[in-house]
């Protein structure tokens, strides 16, 4: 017990000497009368040119070596980072074009995907649903003059193009109904609802690409009620 107490006392002595050295260093920098001397100031230079983005220590205090004091950056040279569902991230091709909306300006900004991070993270949505999400990093294409007020940590909504095509036949998502293991739609022929099995390609929240089953210009029923079936007569209402 006495040996343990002696060892503890020696540790306390080392701590007291360290605190004394810190007090002497602080006294040397402020001077005896409390006035700070320019000759004893510790000057810290910024590692790069830019603006102060964030101050991490706003008041005077002793900090350990390597402790971040502030963040310095160039707001004119920024990148965009958004998080998307992992199921969507796997569909994003390299250098995919994107548009940034609701950033505060009148027109969307243009960007290009630079990186889809290989590791995801768990995020709980506003509805309490656990989602696996992935960060996507994009470079801005528009010059600084088009986004002078956009700064670090600002909010944007991103639309990323995962696929595009020309002369694509599409059908509204609301017209699709389940048919076995696939999709179908009710086409209207001479006032009669005809169930058409469809081969669907790419799709988004508004429309789906039709590869087989419909011709251009054919009319389809959107959000068909349960009363609609193959061969039922239907009447168009405006």
């Amino acid at each position: 017990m006495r040996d343990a107490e002696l060892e503890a006392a020696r540790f306390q002595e080392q701590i007291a000497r360290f605190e004394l050295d810190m007090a002497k260093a602080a006294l040397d920098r402020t001077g005896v009368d409390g006035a700070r001397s320019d000759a004893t100031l510790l000057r810290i230079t910024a590692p790069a040119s830019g603006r102060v983005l964030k101050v991490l220590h706003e008041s005077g205090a002793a900090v350990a070596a390597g402790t971040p004091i502030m963040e310095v950056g160039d707001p004119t040279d920024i990148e965009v980072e958004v998080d998307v569902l992992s199921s969507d991230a796997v569909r994003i091709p390299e250098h995919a074009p994107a548009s940034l909306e609701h950033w505060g300006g009148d027109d969307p900004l243009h960007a290009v995907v630079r990186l889809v991070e290989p590791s995801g993270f768990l995020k709980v949505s506003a509805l309490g649903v656990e989602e696996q999400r992935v960060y996507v990093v994009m470079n801005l294409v528009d010059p600084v003059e088009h986004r002078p007020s956009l700064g670090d940590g600002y909010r944007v909504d991103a639309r990323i193009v995962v696929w595009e095509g020309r002369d694509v036949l599409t059908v509204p998502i609301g017209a699709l109904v389940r048919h076995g293991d696939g999709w179908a739609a009710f086409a209207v022929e001479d006032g009669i609802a005809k169930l058409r099995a469809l081969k669907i390609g790419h799709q988004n929240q508004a429309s789906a690409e039709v590869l087989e089953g419909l011709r251009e210009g054919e009319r389809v029923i959107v959000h068909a009620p349960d009363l609609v079936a193959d061969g039922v007569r239907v009447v168009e209402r405006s």
Side-chain angles (χ1 to χ4, degrees):
M1 290 178 60
R2 293 292 182 265
D3 290 340
E5 291 175 358
L6 176 61
E7 190 69 17
R10 287 174 177 170
F11 279 122
Q12 291 296 329
E13 181 185 11
Q14 293 178 6
I15 294 174
R17 290 185 182 276
F18 177 72
E19 292 177 346
L20 177 61
D21 292 340
M22 291 180 59
K24 287 182 178 180
L27 186 62
D28 291 341
R29 296 191 181 282
T30 57
V32 178
D33 57 354
R36 188 176 296 275
S37 173
D38 291 340
T40 60
L41 285 176
L42 178 61
R43 299 188 179 276
I44 303 176
T45 59
S49 301
R51 297 181 59 183
V52 176
L53 303 178
K54 187 180 299 183
V55 178
L56 304 178
H57 286 274
E58 296 186 359
S59 58
V63 295
T67 301
I69 299 175
M70 66 178 63
E71 292 182 1
V72 179
D74 184 2
T76 64
D77 184 19
I78 58 178
E79 62 184 14
V80 179
E81 182 183 74
V82 298
D83 61 273
V84 302
L85 290 172
S86 59
S87 56
D88 293 333
V90 297
R91 300 167 52 216
I92 298 177
E94 186 178 6
H95 307 307
S99 62
L100 307 178
E101 304 172 353
H102 304 141
W103 61 276
D106 297 330
D107 300 321
L109 297 177
H110 299 88
V112 175
V113 173
R114 178 173 62 84
L115 172 68
V116 178
E117 293 195 349
S119 178
F121 62 94
L122 184 65
K123 182 178 180 179
V124 180
S125 68
L127 299 177
V129 179
E130 293 185 348
E131 299 175 339
Q132 203 68 21
R133 305 189 75 88
V134 177
Y135 282 120
V136 178
V137 183
M138 296 175 283
N139 292 334
L140 288 166
V141 176
D142 295 322
V144 179
E145 293 76 15
H146 293 178
R147 47 178 175 89
S149 58
L150 189 63
D152 176 63
Y154 283 28
R155 174 186 176 273
V156 297
D157 289 339
R159 291 180 177 269
I160 303 174
V161 179
V162 298
W163 177 84
E164 60 182 344
R166 294 182 179 275
D167 299 327
V168 177
L169 179 63
T170 62
V171 66
I173 287 292
L176 298 179
V177 295
R178 273 296 180 184
H179 181 60
D181 295 333
W183 294 100
F186 286 103
V188 179
E189 300 179 8
D190 299 327
I192 303 297
K194 296 293 185 179
L195 185 64
R196 300 275 193 85
L198 304 181
K199 183 178 180 181
I200 298 298
H202 297 85
Q203 56 182 305
N204 56 24
Q205 296 179 351
S207 58
E209 178 190 16
V210 178
L211 302 178
E212 295 178 3
L214 286 175
R215 295 186 304 273
E216 182 179 358
E218 286 191 293
R219 303 175 69 84
V220 295
I221 301 175
V222 180
H223 303 299
D226 295 336
L227 296 177
V228 176
D230 187 30
V232 171
R233 180 172 294 279
V234 293
V235 178
E236 180 179 355
R237 292 182 178 177
S238 57

